[in-house]
């Protein structure tokens, strides 16, 4: 970002004919984690559903990528050459198969649940595509870390964590397919039949593929079409004998919570302990406790991000001091003047009956309504997080990520203070300080790595009080971090263990 802005100023200086006020630099605003709280969410999720993410929800892409690597290695071994080029041949082949697969499914269904629709858009409009040359090389580069099925944000982590692919010991860019997956991969061979002899599936180098061919292949390896052998072998990797214990227990708990409904929100509530009446064996009590920690952390983070969003809306009318912001927030809650101590005021908002998931939904509902509804929902959520029964888990939570243990300690130190002073601490320490620390820290990290050039800092302190950073209209709209449950339920459904998943 800094280099871009400086270059803009240099251009303006070279072109200037006389003294003038420089226009505001074109700085790109962004940042989805304004307070730096989300990493703990991910760490806690790893105690329940490790190896999963919120994208890799279908069996067939796991199979296609693993099959592509098996096919690429077989072609290399059958070529008789002493060596092959890893990127120009092996990975090029796998990328080709990925693109053909996504292309084929988007032709069948434009809304297919697969990444890469935008990047593959030009191919969809064409009636054929040449996999080779500079255009294909550039498309591969664009896809690598974003829309590739093997990218870290898509199916890549699951492919490796479940053991479908492992890195070659001598060349980490080469992935070796699991031998135990061969029966499932053989099903793809049979599905494609004689088409396996097509250059797209049988050779390295430049290949021309036509739309009518892709349409035919799309039916053979359809996203929603998987064989019994694929289901059986995937089950073993997901939560069977080949699964790590934490994921096995987590997926089993999700299935146990889905006997009458596979609605994601309903399952989320049942898995999180009280007020749910779901009965589980002793072996899964720790899993329930870990899932409850995930939801409590979700609630705490959403409450603080809602406070931050609320602040940005107040600052639209101009700078405000901490005192004015705290007074306005407390006036929108209940009991602000009735209780003399923080303990009694926060206790007034405490209600454990909805449970963490119910309170999370209350905050989400408040965010859909008038801004005056934010504060009461936030205070109920914070009260639950600060006063409810809470046990430390196995995750070591970084102090600067504001773990609940730290927040509860700071709350307990202020039990006898006035509610206004506690709320001021929440605003200045838990919201503004966190936002400034993480916005600047991430910006510096990006600059050192020559990464993203975005401005994350939304609020700054000036002589007149807190004010929005120039160009900022409001903070990011708060949303809970997706917790991988939809992925677990979707995969369990495709393995044949639960009914259709309802979002």
């Amino acid at each position: 970002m800094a280099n871009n802005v400086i270059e803009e100023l240099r251009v303006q200086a070279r072109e200037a004919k006389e003294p003038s006020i420089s226009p505001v630099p074109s700085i790109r605003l962004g940042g989805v984690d304004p307070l730096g709280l989300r990493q703990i969410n991910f760490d806690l999720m790893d105690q329940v559903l490790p190896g999963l993410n919120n994208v890799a929800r279908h069996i067939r892409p796991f199979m296609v990528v693993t099959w592509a690597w098996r096919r690429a290695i077989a072609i290399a071994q059958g070529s008789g050459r002493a060596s092959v080029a890893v990127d120009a041949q092996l990975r090029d082949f796998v990328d080709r198969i990925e693109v053909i697969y996504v292309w084929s499914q988007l032709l069948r269904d434009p809304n297919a649940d697969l990444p890469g629709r935008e990047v593959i858009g030009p191919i969809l409009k064409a009636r054929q595509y040449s996999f080779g040359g500079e255009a294909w090389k550039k498309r591969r580069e664009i896809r690598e870390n974003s829309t590739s099925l093997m990218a870290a944000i898509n199916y890549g982590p699951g492919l490796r964590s479940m053991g479908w692919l492992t890195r070659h010991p001598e060349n980490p860019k080469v992935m070796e397919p699991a031998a135990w997956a061969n029966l499932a991969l053989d099903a793809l061979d049979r599905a494609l039949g004689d088409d396996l002899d097509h250059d797209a599936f049988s050779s390295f180098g430049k290949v021309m593929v036509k739309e009518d061919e892709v349409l035919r292949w799309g039916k053979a390896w359809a996203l929603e079409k998987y064989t019994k052998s694929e289901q059986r072998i995937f089950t073993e990797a997901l939560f069977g004998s080949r699964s790590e214990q934490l994921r096995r227990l987590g997926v089993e708990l999700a299935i146990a919570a889905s006997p009458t409904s596979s609605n994601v929100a309903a399952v989320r509530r049942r898995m999180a302990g009280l007020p749910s009446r779901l009965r589980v064996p002793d072996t899964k009590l720790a899993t329930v406790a870990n899932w409850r920690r995930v939801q409590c952390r979700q609630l705490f983070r959403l409450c603080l991000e809602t406070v931050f969003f609320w602040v940005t809306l107040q600052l639209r009318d101009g700078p405000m001091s901490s005192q004015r912001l705290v007074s306005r927030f407390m006036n929108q809650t209940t009991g602000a003047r009735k209780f003399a101590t923080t303990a009694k005021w926060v206790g007034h908002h405490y209600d454990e009956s909805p449970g963490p998931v119910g309170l999370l939904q209350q905050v989400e509902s408040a965010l859909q309504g008038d801004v005056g509804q934010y504060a009461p929902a936030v205070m109920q959520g914070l009260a639950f997080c600060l006063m409810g029964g809470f046990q430390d888990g196995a995750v070591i939570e970084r102090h600067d990520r504001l773990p609940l243990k730290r927040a509860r300690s700071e709350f307990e130190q202020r039990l006898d203070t006035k509610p206004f002073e506690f709320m001021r601490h929440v605003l200045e320490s838990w919201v503004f300080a966190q936002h400034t620390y993480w916005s600047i820290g991430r910006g510096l990290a990006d600059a050192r790595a020559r990464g993203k050039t975005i401005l994350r800092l939304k609020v700054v302190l000036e002589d007149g009080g807190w004010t929005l950073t120039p160009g900022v209209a409001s903070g990011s709209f708060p949303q809970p971090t997706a917790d991988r449950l939809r992925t677990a339920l979707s995969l369990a459904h495709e393995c044949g263990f639960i009914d259709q998943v309802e979002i």
Side-chain angles (χ1 to χ4, degrees), residues 151-192:
I153 61 174
N154 296 319
Y155 283 77
L159 283 161
R160 289 185 286 272
S161 68
M162 286 191 237
W164 296 99
L165 296 173
T166 56
R167 296 189 186 278
H168 191 281
E170 296 178 9
N171 191 330
K173 289 187 176 182
V174 176
M175 306 302 294
E176 296 185 318
W180 50 260
N182 280 335
L183 285 177
L185 304 183
D186 290 343
L188 275 182
D189 283 340
R190 291 191 295 271
L192 289 167

Side-chain angles (χ1 to χ4, degrees), residues 277-487:
R277 296 182 180 180
L278 178 67
R279 300 181 67 178
V280 299
D282 291 348
T283 54
K284 289 187 175 61
L285 291 177
T287 306
V288 172
N290 284 335
W291 185 249
R292 190 174 181 86
R293 288 187 193 97
V294 170
Q295 302 308 320
C296 288
R297 178 65 187 185
Q298 290 270 53
L299 176 61
F300 181 63
R301 184 197 60 74
L302 186 63
C303 284
L304 292 186
E305 287 192 10
T306 299
V307 173
F308 181 70
F309 181 65
W310 177 89
V311 165
T312 64
L313 297 180
Q314 310 308 306
L315 298 182
R316 284 177 171 179
D317 297 328
M320 294 180 66
S321 65
S322 294
Q323 183 168 344
R324 283 186 62 198
L325 286 168
V326 171
S327 295
R328 184 174 292 187
F329 183 88
M330 294 185 68
N331 286 338
Q332 294 178 5
T333 67
T334 59
R337 299 181 180 178
K338 182 178 178 181
F339 300 101
T341 66
T342 293
K344 291 182 178 180
W345 181 60
V346 175
H348 168 71
H349 293 92
Y350 179 68
D351 179 8
E352 65 178 10
S353 61
V357 178
L359 290 168
L360 194 64
Q361 292 173 328
Q362 288 181 24
V363 177
E364 289 184 273
S365 296
L367 284 164
Q368 301 303 317
D370 183 79
V371 67
Q373 300 175 26
Y374 295 5
V378 163
M379 285 311 303
Q380 273 199 289
L382 285 179
F384 181 88
C385 293
L386 297 174
M387 298 184 68
F390 181 78
Q391 294 180 336
D392 292 337
V395 174
I396 299 176
E397 303 175 1
R398 281 177 48 177
H399 188 77
D400 57 357
R401 295 278 185 181
L402 189 53
L404 259 176
K405 183 177 181 180
R406 173 189 147 192
R408 289 168 70 98
S409 174
E410 293 178 8
F411 164 67
E412 290 166 1
Q413 292 168 13
R414 292 167 175 80
L415 290 176
D416 296 328
T417 63
K418 293 181 179 179
F420 182 93
E421 294 305 319
F422 171 68
M423 198 61 219
R424 183 169 186 148
H425 176 75
V426 170
L427 187 69
E428 293 185 339
S429 178
W430 296 0
V431 176
F432 287 146
Q434 284 291 130
H435 174 61
T436 303
Y437 176 82
W438 280 104
S439 296
I440 294 175
R442 285 294 304 276
L444 289 172
D446 285 343
R448 294 188 188 104
R450 298 186 179 276
K452 297 177 181 178
T453 55
I454 59 177
L455 178 65
R456 295 179 173 83
L457 192 63
K458 304 292 195 307
V459 176
V460 294
L461 183 61
E462 293 188 345
D463 291 342
W466 298 101
T467 187
L468 295 175
T469 307
V472 173
S474 67
S476 303
F477 189 81
Q479 292 181 325
T481 306
D483 56 17
R484 309 177 189 174
L485 179 59
R486 181 184 171 191
T487 294

